[in-house]
Structures are given as C-alpha cells and as structure tokens.
Amino acid sequence: MTVKDAPARADLAATDDIGWAVRLLAATPTNEHRDPELLRRWARAADAFGAALAPVACDARIVERDGGLELGLLARYTSRPPTVELYTDTIDLAERVVDARGWRDWYPPGSVRAAALAHEAVHVHLHHGPAKAALKSALGHSALRLGRLRVSGHVAGAEEVAAHAYARTVCGLGRSPLLLTAALAAEAEARSGSANGSNPPSARDARREN
C-alpha cells in the first residue's frame, strides 16, 4: 500500500471512494488513455468484488519495521518468501493525519494497522488462489475473443482497488483506505515542499507498489 502520488488538497474527502478508485486506475500504467466511463465501470466492479470477499486469514510472515516514510509505503507484500511488511512510522503518521483531518469516525484507533494488514492479506489471497481469475471475470474485460470463446484480460490496478474495498469492509471503516493514502501523500508533498522552500507540486493519484 503506497502513500505517494496524490493531490495535495484540503478537500480530499469530497471525492468518494469510487472516485479515488477511478483515479488510481487512471494513474496506473496501461490505463492512462482509457475511457473514463470504462475505468469507472472497472472501479465499481473491483470495489464490489473486494467488498464481497469472505474474510481472508493472512498466512504470510508479518514483519514490522521503520523506513516506510522514506519508501512511501504503509505496507508491502512480497511473495518469496510470502511476507507482509508493516511500516510502523507510516502507520503512526496515518493515525496523526486521521486526527488532524477529523476523520476518526471513519478510521477508529488502531484501524490503520488492521486495514494495512487486511489489504496485504488479500494480495496474498489473490496471488496464490483462484480468486485472481474470479476478479478478472467480474471485471468483464476481454483480452481475446474467438467465437464464443472469451479470454478474460488483466486490468492493471484492479487488484489494488479490490484490496482497498476488502479492507474497508472487514475493518468496518467509514471510508476506503484510498482516501487515507491520498491524505498521506498530500502530507508528504507538503513536507517536501516545505523542506525545499517551495509549494508542493501537483501529482497523480495514490498507487501501490510491490
């Protein structure tokens, strides 16, 4: 779950969860020139898929460490060996941002860590199980058609949208973690701008990197 590449604006909450999901997809390579309505349709499908997933246990090794602020990460899943890294410095900052923006009703105390872990657990689930194919089917994107045969295509960023929706649902959050990652990105840009003695530059929407 990455915290960089989002607009430094005070009214981030004015964009709803699907709106942030659309922005994430639009900012993901290969989607830059896609039709906005197609991206919105994929965003809704991925969000609904993630929200409907049954609770997933995280079987990967969990490691907590600092250094997330430098990397721009809240959490990261790596597959060899299966490991979820939780970055405590970024999680602590996220909790402070929630308080500063008055979002505590949406993100109760401790929910940032829980949401980050849930988010990465879904990446583990999609990486190793049949759910990845189910997500492709739910998106309805065809990579190839031969008569009645249809091969489902990959939609870059859709897994990330689904993981955020899953975390929002299983953790009982009022808003998607996508909003929080956007706020963290704005905070990082503001700090960078202050350090450089300039105004923070505009940027794209929040994305995740493994």
Side-chain angles (χ1 to χ4, degrees):
M1 181 187 293
T2 199
V3 299
K4 61 184 179 179
D5 298 336
R9 306 181 338 189
D11 60 343
L12 298 175
T15 299
D16 65 14
D17 291 349
I18 295 300
W20 280 115
V22 171
R23 292 183 179 206
L24 184 153
L25 293 179
T28 302
T30 72
N31 291 336
E32 297 95 333
H33 305 295
R34 301 275 195 187
D35 179 75
E37 285 306 311
L38 175 61
L39 293 179
R40 182 166 293 274
R41 187 162 70 247
W42 284 344
R44 289 188 181 281
D47 184 273
F49 180 89
L53 282 174
V56 175
C58 184
D59 297 325
R61 183 173 63 109
I62 299 172
V63 176
E64 296 191 10
R65 56 170 51 111
D66 289 333
L69 292 175
E70 293 181 7
L71 295 171
L73 290 172
L74 267 166
R76 175 169 60 183
Y77 166 64
T78 55
S79 59
R80 297 181 181 177
T83 303
V84 171
E85 299 172 329
L86 298 176
Y87 293 95
T88 55
D89 54 341
T90 315
I91 291 171
D92 290 343
L93 176 60
E95 293 285 1
R96 297 196 298 273
V97 167
V98 167
D99 284 329
R101 289 182 176 263
W103 293 348
R104 189 52 74 186
D105 287 346
W106 291 337
Y107 305 102
S111 63
V112 175
R113 182 187 185 280
L117 184 57
H119 180 106
E120 301 306 325
V122 166
H123 283 294
V124 177
H125 180 64
L126 292 175
H127 188 83
H128 294 287
K132 189 168 189 175
L135 174 58
K136 284 185 178 181
S137 178
L139 293 168
H141 174 49
S142 297
L144 177 67
R145 283 183 179 273
L146 293 173
R148 295 183 179 180
L149 175 66
R150 182 177 70 87
V151 178
S152 296
H154 172 71
V155 175
E159 181 180 321
E160 183 71 0
V161 173
H164 280 298
Y166 171 81
R168 180 192 66 219
T169 303
V170 299
C171 295
L173 306 181
R175 290 291 304 268
S176 168
L178 271 170
L179 173 61
L180 184 53
T181 59
L184 282 167
E187 176 77 11
E189 284 196 347
R191 292 185 176 200
S192 175
S194 298
N196 295 329
S198 61
N199 293 323
S202 62
R204 297 184 302 276
D205 299 329
R207 295 200 303 269
R208 174 182 181 274
E209 297 173 355
N210 279 324

